Amino acid sequence: MNDSIFHYHNGSLYAEDVDLMTLTDEVGTPCYVYSQGRAVGNLKRLQTAFPDAEIHYSLKANANLALVRALIDAGAGLDAVSGGEIYKGVQAGALPGDIVFAGVGKTEQELRYALDMGVGWFNVESGHELARLARLAQQMHKRPRVCLRINPDVQADTHQYISTGHAAAKFGIPLGEARDLLEKHAESDSVAVEGIHTHIGSQLGAVDQTAEAIKTVLPLLDEYSDLKTLNIGGGFPVSYTGEVVPSVEEFASTIRSVLAGRDLHLIIEPGRYVVADAGALIVEVQYIKHASGGVIVVTDGGMTELIRPALYGATHEVMTLHDPSSSEFVKSLVVGPVCESADILRAEVVLPAPQPGDRLAIMDVGAYGAVMGSNYNARPRPPEILVNTDDWRVTRRRERYEDLIALEE
Ligand code: LLP
């Protein structure tokens, strides 16, 4: 959470120079609000920390077209994990050549689409995928650039659901098998294997395992002179509740020292770091229920808008839209209206005694918020608003009831 972007002014919460009370009077709740300045600022900090790296923003974190367009304008390439993300990336203004296509289960249709579009890199995750890609490329008279994603068998310091670099994970190719693939495809006319990819997880709590993963794959880069690119994925963490996490500068200097003396082209695929603290979910309190030791605050937003607390036990800070300085405080459980006990936005938080009609901002929702949303309980998705200094606009409108049945025949 960054207080200079979301801050109190004249008694109410602002995003950049926009009063969120006035904004939500107009667009209603729930809604997502994104700060363009914060997202672009985060990207710039990464560009400064990794001056020689190619930065491919990971669309899976937030694929809002207007926000993505601002990141592309600021120099980002993209990381896409499905045909749909390639499509959205191009719609947002990316050149296909500036997109890396990742993902453990690319279908034949997706590979054809990506080849047809001329995507810049294919991060390949298995021998079968490489064979399929080579066959399709030959049929289509293409020669795609490939990074082999290696599973370095490293245990990342993060939640088990978003840890990807240990041997039992579905991601990547074991080192030995990668050697066989490199031998087999060294002279291939249909694929150009030019890089190694490794990504050990998201919201990494330490830099050591990243260093370990890179050291594990370096022998491959040393043995095969065609391999000139190292893609280390994303995973740069953000502080959700004030906890200390390693900075991107720490990651950069560790990576630099592990790679010292080698002339490798570096790619990174950050998602969360770029957009998490640029976004908030604004909800309105509907009802207050008294519970032992505090209150249950029932809002109009829930796990359909932010599933992270239900899925990972994640904790997001909560701010009130009115300046809380003069209120009395009460222990609160902030929940949504969805018919699931897991539908919690924030467990155990002390808030200025909430009243029906009060609005709350759930913080750091810019990454893995809207993209993981759903229509469960036939809930229309909220609008997404992009703030840029004192200007704001609805970049995706609120869904209507008709949208809920639009695809049914
Ligand atoms: N590259 C690869 C190969 C990935 O698997 C991921 C994330 C990224 C890049 C971007 O990682 P980031 O920089 O955002 O950490 N839904 C979860 C996070 C899932 C991350 C999946 N892969 C959450 O809400 O915490």
Side-chain angles (χ1 to χ4, degrees), residues 58 60 149 162 199 202 234-235 269 271-272 308 312 368 372:
S58 200
K60 65 172 85 67
R149 178 169 180 180
I162 52 176
H199 164 94
S202 189
E269 302 168 342
R272 185 191 315 268
R308 302 193 70 258
Y312 315 112
Y368 307 110
M372 295 181 82

Side-chain angles (χ1 to χ4, degrees), residues 6 17 38 57 138 174 312 357 371 396:
F6 291 96
D17 299 331
R38 169 54 42 177
Y57 165 67
Q138 195 171 33
Y312 315 112
V371 282
R396 187 181 201 272

Side-chain angles (χ1 to χ4, degrees), residues 321-336:
L321 256 55
H322 58 278
D323 192 336
S325 50
S326 59
S327 311
E328 73 177 273
F329 289 80
V330 54
K331 199 168 90 183
S332 308
L333 171 69
V334 184
V335 304

Side-chain angles (χ1 to χ4, degrees), residues 47-387:
Q47 288 165 332
T48 307
F50 293 91
D52 302 324
E54 225 177 86
I55 302 183
H56 289 260
Y57 165 67
S58 200
L59 278 172
K60 65 172 85 67
N62 186 326
N64 178 275
L65 291 192
L67 183 61
V68 174
R69 187 163 297 137
L71 294 171
I72 292 169
D73 288 347
L78 300 179
D79 158 34
V81 288
S82 65
E85 280 193 353
I86 294 171
Y87 175 79
K88 288 196 79 175
V90 171
Q91 292 300 311
L95 297 173
D98 291 336
I99 298 178
V100 301
F101 185 22
V104 72
K106 305 176 192 77
T107 64
E108 181 150 328
Q109 176 268 328
E110 287 178 309
L111 288 172
R112 270 185 203 283
Y113 176 62
L115 284 166
D116 197 40
M117 294 296 283
V119 155
W121 283 99
F122 290 73
N123 296 342
V124 167
E125 301 227 13
S126 65
H128 279 147
E129 183 191 337
L130 189 56
R132 183 185 254 183
L133 178 65
R135 175 172 56 78
L136 294 173
Q138 195 171 33
Q139 283 170 10
M140 295 169 72
H141 308 291
K142 307 265 185 185
R143 192 164 182 266
R145 256 189 323 182
V146 167
C147 261
L148 288 187
R149 178 169 180 180
I150 308 298
N151 182 322
D153 193 12
V154 166
Q155 191 69 53
D157 177 5
T158 188
H159 191 283
Q160 58 160 336
Y161 288 5
I162 52 176
S163 168
T164 55
H166 54 95
K170 67 177 177 178
F171 300 100
I173 303 168
L175 212 57
E177 189 184 336
R179 276 204 175 82
D180 295 344
L181 292 173
L182 285 163
E183 296 294 341
K184 186 165 165 211
H185 292 272
E187 308 291 325
S188 169
D189 292 333
S190 45
V191 287
V193 184
E194 293 180 7
I196 292 297
H197 178 284
T198 185
H199 164 94
I200 58 168
S202 189
Q203 185 65 6
L204 299 171
V207 297
D208 300 359
Q209 297 81 2
T210 297
E212 206 185 314
I214 296 174
K215 284 181 195 153
T216 307
V217 302
L218 274 183
L220 284 183
L221 291 148
D222 291 341
E223 283 163 46
Y224 296 90
S225 58
D226 286 349
L227 301 176
K228 295 193 168 57
T229 293
L230 173 62
N231 183 332
I232 56 154
F236 309 108
V238 300
S239 175
Y240 282 99
T241 53
E243 72 277 23
V244 177
V245 294
S247 66
V248 292
E249 290 78 15
E250 281 171 69
F251 275 96
S253 78
T254 301
I255 291 163
R256 212 173 293 127
S257 69
V258 177
L259 295 180
R262 287 185 176 79
D263 186 22
L264 286 171
H265 172 57
L266 190 65
I267 298 182
I268 59 174
E269 302 168 342
R272 185 191 315 268
Y273 181 82
V274 180
V275 288
D277 69 358
L281 169 68
I282 317 295
V283 299
E284 189 171 270
V285 177
Q286 305 298 306
Y287 305 104
I288 302 293
K289 300 174 78 164
H290 293 278
S292 62
V295 294
I296 297 173
V297 183
V298 184
T299 77
D300 58 2
M303 66 191 294
T304 39
E305 286 70 43
L306 178 67
I307 203 174
R308 302 193 70 258
L311 190 56
Y312 315 112
T315 304
H316 287 253
E317 295 285 20
V318 178
M319 294 174 87
T320 53
L321 256 55
H322 58 278
D323 192 336
S325 50
S326 59
S327 311
E328 73 177 273
F329 289 80
V330 54
K331 199 168 90 183
S332 308
L333 171 69
V334 184
V335 304
V338 175
C339 299
E340 297 273 347
S341 294
D343 181 28
I344 287 171
L345 285 175
R346 173 71 194 256
E348 277 230 19
V349 59
V350 176
L351 288 178
Q355 301 297 326
D358 284 356
R359 291 174 203 160
L360 305 174
I362 316 297
M363 307 308 294
D364 306 310
V365 171
Y368 307 110
V371 282
M372 295 181 82
S374 79
N375 290 120
Y376 185 41
N377 283 196
R379 289 171 52 75
R381 285 168 204 262
E384 293 173 63
I385 288 102
L386 190 63
V387 168

